[in-house]
mmCIF file of all heavy atoms in Angstrom:
data_model
loop_
_atom_site.group_PDB
_atom_site.id
_atom_site.type_symbol
_atom_site.label_atom_id
_atom_site.label_comp_id
_atom_site.label_asym_id
_atom_site.label_seq_id
_atom_site.Cartn_x
_atom_site.Cartn_y
_atom_site.Cartn_z
ATOM 1 N N LEU P 234 73.867 18.260 238.196
ATOM 2 C CA LEU P 234 73.122 17.028 238.385
ATOM 3 C C LEU P 234 71.632 17.333 238.264
ATOM 4 O O LEU P 234 71.221 18.452 238.561
ATOM 5 C CB LEU P 234 73.412 16.401 239.749
ATOM 6 C CG LEU P 234 74.805 15.865 239.973
ATOM 7 C CD1 LEU P 234 74.984 15.431 241.424
ATOM 8 C CD2 LEU P 234 75.114 14.711 239.022
ATOM 9 N N PRO P 235 70.838 16.360 237.907
ATOM 10 C CA PRO P 235 69.387 16.616 237.827
ATOM 11 C C PRO P 235 68.816 16.931 239.202
ATOM 12 O O PRO P 235 69.241 16.375 240.207
ATOM 13 C CB PRO P 235 68.827 15.322 237.280
ATOM 14 C CG PRO P 235 69.892 14.303 237.385
ATOM 15 C CD PRO P 235 71.193 15.016 237.522
ATOM 16 N N GLU P 236 67.861 17.840 239.243
ATOM 17 C CA GLU P 236 67.228 18.265 240.487
ATOM 18 C C GLU P 236 66.000 17.412 240.790
ATOM 19 O O GLU P 236 65.710 17.110 241.931
ATOM 20 C CB GLU P 236 66.824 19.732 240.425
ATOM 21 C CG GLU P 236 67.981 20.694 240.337
ATOM 22 C CD GLU P 236 68.796 20.728 241.616
ATOM 23 O OE1 GLU P 236 68.231 20.491 242.722
ATOM 24 O OE2 GLU P 236 69.991 20.989 241.528
ATOM 25 N N ASP P 237 65.247 17.030 239.765
ATOM 26 C CA ASP P 237 63.984 16.343 239.932
ATOM 27 C C ASP P 237 64.204 14.848 240.158
ATOM 28 O O ASP P 237 64.754 14.160 239.296
ATOM 29 C CB ASP P 237 63.128 16.562 238.700
ATOM 30 C CG ASP P 237 61.741 15.934 238.786
ATOM 31 O OD1 ASP P 237 61.376 15.447 239.878
ATOM 32 O OD2 ASP P 237 61.045 15.889 237.768
ATOM 33 N N ALA P 238 63.791 14.345 241.324
ATOM 34 C CA ALA P 238 63.999 12.949 241.660
ATOM 35 C C ALA P 238 63.302 11.994 240.735
ATOM 36 O O ALA P 238 63.719 10.837 240.571
ATOM 37 C CB ALA P 238 63.547 12.688 243.114
ATOM 38 N N SER P 239 62.245 12.420 240.099
ATOM 39 C CA SER P 239 61.481 11.528 239.220
ATOM 40 C C SER P 239 61.831 11.667 237.748
ATOM 41 O O SER P 239 61.226 11.051 236.898
ATOM 42 C CB SER P 239 59.982 11.759 239.427
ATOM 43 O OG SER P 239 59.678 13.096 239.038
ATOM 44 N N SER P 240 62.854 12.474 237.467
ATOM 45 C CA SER P 240 63.174 12.723 236.063
ATOM 46 C C SER P 240 63.929 11.556 235.455
ATOM 47 O O SER P 240 64.601 10.790 236.127
ATOM 48 C CB SER P 240 64.008 14.010 235.925
ATOM 49 O OG SER P 240 65.323 13.749 236.324
ATOM 50 N N LEU P 241 63.804 11.467 234.142
ATOM 51 C CA LEU P 241 64.535 10.445 233.383
ATOM 52 C C LEU P 241 66.039 10.680 233.534
ATOM 53 O O LEU P 241 66.813 9.727 233.561
ATOM 54 C CB LEU P 241 64.103 10.468 231.918
ATOM 55 C CG LEU P 241 64.738 9.443 230.996
ATOM 56 C CD1 LEU P 241 64.494 8.022 231.516
ATOM 57 C CD2 LEU P 241 64.229 9.584 229.590
ATOM 58 N N ASP P 242 66.435 11.945 233.637
ATOM 59 C CA ASP P 242 67.868 12.257 233.823
ATOM 60 C C ASP P 242 68.428 11.637 235.117
ATOM 61 O O ASP P 242 69.530 11.128 235.104
ATOM 62 C CB ASP P 242 68.076 13.782 233.848
ATOM 63 C CG ASP P 242 67.865 14.434 232.508
ATOM 64 O OD1 ASP P 242 67.917 13.728 231.483
ATOM 65 O OD2 ASP P 242 67.649 15.664 232.492
ATOM 66 N N THR P 243 67.638 11.695 236.167
ATOM 67 C CA THR P 243 68.100 11.110 237.450
ATOM 68 C C THR P 243 68.307 9.612 237.290
ATOM 69 O O THR P 243 69.326 9.068 237.730
ATOM 70 C CB THR P 243 67.065 11.395 238.560
ATOM 71 O OG1 THR P 243 66.929 12.806 238.704
ATOM 72 C CG2 THR P 243 67.481 10.783 239.867
ATOM 73 N N VAL P 244 67.356 8.942 236.665
ATOM 74 C CA VAL P 244 67.455 7.487 236.467
ATOM 75 C C VAL P 244 68.652 7.166 235.562
ATOM 76 O O VAL P 244 69.430 6.253 235.818
ATOM 77 C CB VAL P 244 66.153 6.928 235.847
ATOM 78 C CG1 VAL P 244 66.298 5.461 235.464
ATOM 79 C CG2 VAL P 244 64.997 7.120 236.830
ATOM 80 N N THR P 245 68.850 7.964 234.517
ATOM 81 C CA THR P 245 69.957 7.764 233.601
ATOM 82 C C THR P 245 71.282 7.938 234.304
ATOM 83 O O THR P 245 72.180 7.122 234.120
ATOM 84 C CB THR P 245 69.837 8.757 232.400
ATOM 85 O OG1 THR P 245 68.562 8.575 231.766
ATOM 86 C CG2 THR P 245 70.933 8.542 231.401
ATOM 87 N N PHE P 246 71.402 8.984 235.125
ATOM 88 C CA PHE P 246 72.656 9.184 235.886
ATOM 89 C C PHE P 246 72.894 8.008 236.831
ATOM 90 O O PHE P 246 74.016 7.497 236.904
ATOM 91 C CB PHE P 246 72.568 10.470 236.715
ATOM 92 C CG PHE P 246 73.191 11.665 236.037
ATOM 93 C CD1 PHE P 246 72.427 12.506 235.255
ATOM 94 C CD2 PHE P 246 74.529 11.961 236.236
ATOM 95 C CE1 PHE P 246 73.001 13.620 234.660
ATOM 96 C CE2 PHE P 246 75.114 13.060 235.638
ATOM 97 C CZ PHE P 246 74.343 13.887 234.836
ATOM 98 N N ALA P 247 71.869 7.573 237.541
ATOM 99 C CA ALA P 247 72.030 6.469 238.483
ATOM 100 C C ALA P 247 72.490 5.194 237.771
ATOM 101 O O ALA P 247 73.387 4.494 238.246
ATOM 102 C CB ALA P 247 70.725 6.215 239.242
ATOM 103 N N ILE P 248 71.910 4.911 236.652
ATOM 104 C CA ILE P 248 72.308 3.729 235.868
ATOM 105 C C ILE P 248 73.747 3.876 235.364
ATOM 106 O O ILE P 248 74.542 2.939 235.448
ATOM 107 C CB ILE P 248 71.331 3.473 234.692
ATOM 108 C CG1 ILE P 248 69.988 3.014 235.238
ATOM 109 C CG2 ILE P 248 71.879 2.438 233.708
ATOM 110 C CD1 ILE P 248 68.863 3.010 234.212
ATOM 111 N N ALA P 249 74.061 5.065 234.878
ATOM 112 C CA ALA P 249 75.425 5.308 234.366
ATOM 113 C C ALA P 249 76.461 5.128 235.498
ATOM 114 O O ALA P 249 77.466 4.449 235.306
ATOM 115 C CB ALA P 249 75.523 6.714 233.788
ATOM 116 N N PHE P 250 76.192 5.689 236.681
ATOM 117 C CA PHE P 250 77.112 5.525 237.804
ATOM 118 C C PHE P 250 77.239 4.051 238.203
ATOM 119 O O PHE P 250 78.313 3.576 238.537
ATOM 120 C CB PHE P 250 76.691 6.352 239.011
ATOM 121 C CG PHE P 250 77.040 7.804 238.887
ATOM 122 C CD1 PHE P 250 76.073 8.781 239.140
ATOM 123 C CD2 PHE P 250 78.303 8.212 238.552
ATOM 124 C CE1 PHE P 250 76.383 10.102 239.062
ATOM 125 C CE2 PHE P 250 78.641 9.568 238.456
ATOM 126 C CZ PHE P 250 77.665 10.535 238.704
ATOM 127 N N ASN P 251 76.126 3.363 238.155
ATOM 128 C CA ASN P 251 76.146 1.948 238.534
ATOM 129 C C ASN P 251 76.974 1.128 237.536
ATOM 130 O O ASN P 251 77.551 0.107 237.882
ATOM 131 C CB ASN P 251 74.730 1.404 238.603
ATOM 132 C CG ASN P 251 74.617 0.213 239.499
ATOM 133 O OD1 ASN P 251 75.295 0.144 240.521
ATOM 134 N ND2 ASN P 251 73.791 -0.714 239.131
ATOM 135 N N ASN P 252 77.068 1.590 236.298
ATOM 136 C CA ASN P 252 77.841 0.879 235.277
ATOM 137 C C ASN P 252 79.317 1.276 235.247
ATOM 138 O O ASN P 252 80.106 0.673 234.523
ATOM 139 C CB ASN P 252 77.222 1.101 233.868
ATOM 140 C CG ASN P 252 75.918 0.360 233.720
ATOM 141 O OD1 ASN P 252 75.698 -0.678 234.330
ATOM 142 N ND2 ASN P 252 75.030 0.928 232.921
ATOM 143 N N MET P 253 79.697 2.252 236.018
ATOM 144 C CA MET P 253 81.091 2.716 236.051
ATOM 145 C C MET P 253 81.881 1.939 237.121
ATOM 146 O O MET P 253 82.389 2.488 238.084
ATOM 147 C CB MET P 253 81.171 4.213 236.332
ATOM 148 C CG MET P 253 80.592 5.067 235.259
ATOM 149 S SD MET P 253 80.772 6.814 235.672
ATOM 150 C CE MET P 253 79.709 7.566 234.473
ATOM 151 N N GLU P 254 81.994 0.653 236.933
ATOM 152 C CA GLU P 254 82.619 -0.228 237.931
ATOM 153 C C GLU P 254 84.081 0.100 238.181
ATOM 154 O O GLU P 254 84.600 -0.177 239.259
ATOM 155 C CB GLU P 254 82.484 -1.674 237.495
ATOM 156 C CG GLU P 254 81.052 -2.149 237.457
ATOM 157 C CD GLU P 254 80.902 -3.519 236.845
ATOM 158 O OE1 GLU P 254 81.928 -4.146 236.474
ATOM 159 O OE2 GLU P 254 79.757 -3.985 236.712
ATOM 160 N N ARG P 255 84.751 0.673 237.226
ATOM 161 C CA ARG P 255 86.185 0.949 237.359
ATOM 162 C C ARG P 255 86.472 2.428 237.684
ATOM 163 O O ARG P 255 87.636 2.847 237.633
ATOM 164 C CB ARG P 255 86.916 0.566 236.087
ATOM 165 C CG ARG P 255 86.850 -0.930 235.883
ATOM 166 C CD ARG P 255 87.708 -1.378 234.754
ATOM 167 N NE ARG P 255 87.600 -2.831 234.638
ATOM 168 C CZ ARG P 255 87.939 -3.500 233.577
ATOM 169 N NH1 ARG P 255 88.415 -2.854 232.539
ATOM 170 N NH2 ARG P 255 87.800 -4.779 233.535
ATOM 171 N N LEU P 256 85.446 3.176 238.039
ATOM 172 C CA LEU P 256 85.622 4.572 238.368
ATOM 173 C C LEU P 256 86.532 4.719 239.585
ATOM 174 O O LEU P 256 86.348 4.012 240.583
ATOM 175 C CB LEU P 256 84.251 5.202 238.660
ATOM 176 C CG LEU P 256 84.225 6.724 238.809
ATOM 177 C CD1 LEU P 256 84.597 7.399 237.511
ATOM 178 C CD2 LEU P 256 82.851 7.181 239.264
ATOM 179 N N ARG P 257 87.525 5.609 239.512
ATOM 180 C CA ARG P 257 88.456 5.816 240.625
ATOM 181 C C ARG P 257 88.443 7.255 241.118
ATOM 182 O O ARG P 257 88.790 7.502 242.263
ATOM 183 C CB ARG P 257 89.880 5.434 240.207
ATOM 184 C CG ARG P 257 90.064 3.977 239.879
ATOM 185 C CD ARG P 257 89.778 3.099 241.106
ATOM 186 N NE ARG P 257 89.803 1.681 240.799
ATOM 187 C CZ ARG P 257 88.732 0.926 240.635
ATOM 188 N NH1 ARG P 257 87.529 1.429 240.745
ATOM 189 N NH2 ARG P 257 88.829 -0.348 240.362
ATOM 190 N N ALA P 258 88.068 8.218 240.247
ATOM 191 C CA ALA P 258 88.028 9.635 240.651
ATOM 192 C C ALA P 258 86.701 10.237 240.211
ATOM 193 O O ALA P 258 86.321 10.077 239.052
ATOM 194 C CB ALA P 258 89.210 10.382 240.025
ATOM 195 N N LEU P 259 86.040 10.900 241.122
ATOM 196 C CA LEU P 259 84.717 11.444 240.848
ATOM 197 C C LEU P 259 84.644 12.886 241.366
ATOM 198 O O LEU P 259 85.025 13.171 242.514
ATOM 199 C CB LEU P 259 83.658 10.587 241.548
ATOM 200 C CG LEU P 259 82.201 11.032 241.423
ATOM 201 C CD1 LEU P 259 81.743 11.016 239.950
ATOM 202 C CD2 LEU P 259 81.295 10.085 242.251
#
């Protein structure tokens, strides 16, 4: 996972997780 809280990767991951509405196993 991204380490830097201000990185674009962190924002991208957060948005991707938010869009995974049907996620059942993580």
Side-chain angles (χ1 to χ4, degrees):
L234 291 174
E236 294 291 332
D237 182 10
S239 62
S240 77
L241 182 57
D242 290 340
T243 300
V244 173
T245 302
F246 264 92
I248 291 169
F250 282 130
N251 205 36
N252 289 330
M253 294 182 193
E254 295 172 2
R255 295 188 179 161
L256 189 65
R257 296 297 174 258
L259 178 61

